[in-house]
């Protein structure tokens, strides 16, 4: 069983930065790919950033160069550092995990993203204003 808990959302002006954190609790040690996806009312959820247990990362084109995902396997924590935020980054951000996808390569091969992962947290709101 996997449990996730996010923190770090908030309101920020365009061009500002926020750091999201996610603590994962698992009942057994295994390779788990984790990621963040964004949900905005009236739009399809979008996978934003992903990282596997080896540290390989994957980003949506819209956030490349602005967002950085990192992982501390000893602390079972994943962070999403978001910089140069714009209005389109507004939304509810969910941390997600999938034990059946051990690597980013597998995720890409299956054409999946954090939106498809089997476990997710309660979400944290990010609001960017002009």
């Amino acid at each position: 069983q996997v449990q996730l808990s996010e923190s770090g959302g908030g309101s920020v002006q365009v061009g500002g930065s926020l750091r999201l954190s996610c603590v994962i609790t698992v009942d057994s040690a295994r390779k788990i790919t984790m990621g963040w996806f964004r949900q905005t009312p009236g739009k399809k959820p979008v996978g934003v950033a992903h990282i596997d247990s080896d540290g390989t990362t994957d980003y949506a084109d819209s956030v490349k160069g602005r967002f950085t995902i990192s992982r501390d396997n000893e602390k079972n924590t994943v962070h999403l550092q978001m910089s140069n935020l714009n209005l389109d980054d507004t939304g509810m951000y969910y941390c997600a995990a999938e034990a059946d996808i051990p690597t980013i390569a597998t995720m890409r091969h299956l054409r999946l993203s954090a939106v498809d992962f089997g476990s997710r947290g309660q979400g944290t709101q990010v609001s960017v204003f002009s």
Side-chain angles (χ1 to χ4, degrees):
Q1 186 175 2
V2 177
Q3 293 183 321
L4 304 163
S5 179
E6 307 100 330
S7 62
S11 296
V12 64
Q13 199 166 16
V14 169
S17 300
L18 281 174
R19 187 183 192 224
L20 307 183
S21 297
C22 174
V23 177
I24 178 172
T25 302
V26 297
D27 56 2
S28 62
R30 46 187 166 167
K31 285 193 169 186
I32 298 176
T33 294
M34 299 186 65
W36 294 87
F37 71 90
R38 179 178 64 238
Q39 176 75 66
T40 306
K43 296 183 179 180
K44 291 183 178 180
V46 176
V48 173
H50 310 81
I51 187 168
D52 62 23
S53 59
D54 294 327
T56 302
T57 58
D58 181 271
Y59 296 94
D61 288 341
S62 61
V63 307
K64 284 180 181 177
R66 301 188 298 120
F67 290 13
T68 301
I69 189 170
S70 60
R71 180 172 184 158
D72 186 333
N73 289 328
E74 290 188 2
K75 295 182 179 179
N76 290 332
T77 303
V78 172
H79 302 288
L80 183 66
Q81 179 66 46
M82 305 185 293
S83 302
N84 194 20
L85 286 159
N86 60 53
L87 297 176
D88 290 335
D89 296 320
T90 293
M92 184 71 80
Y93 282 72
Y94 294 88
C95 178
E98 180 55 66
D100 291 332
I101 300 177
T103 66
I104 292 295
T106 301
M107 186 189 76
R108 289 171 175 165
H109 176 71
L110 296 174
R111 298 189 178 187
L112 299 175
S113 78
V115 176
D116 306 295
F117 290 1
S119 301
R120 61 181 60 176
Q122 79 284 359
T124 184
Q125 178 68 35
V126 172
S127 299
V128 185
F129 60 92
S130 58

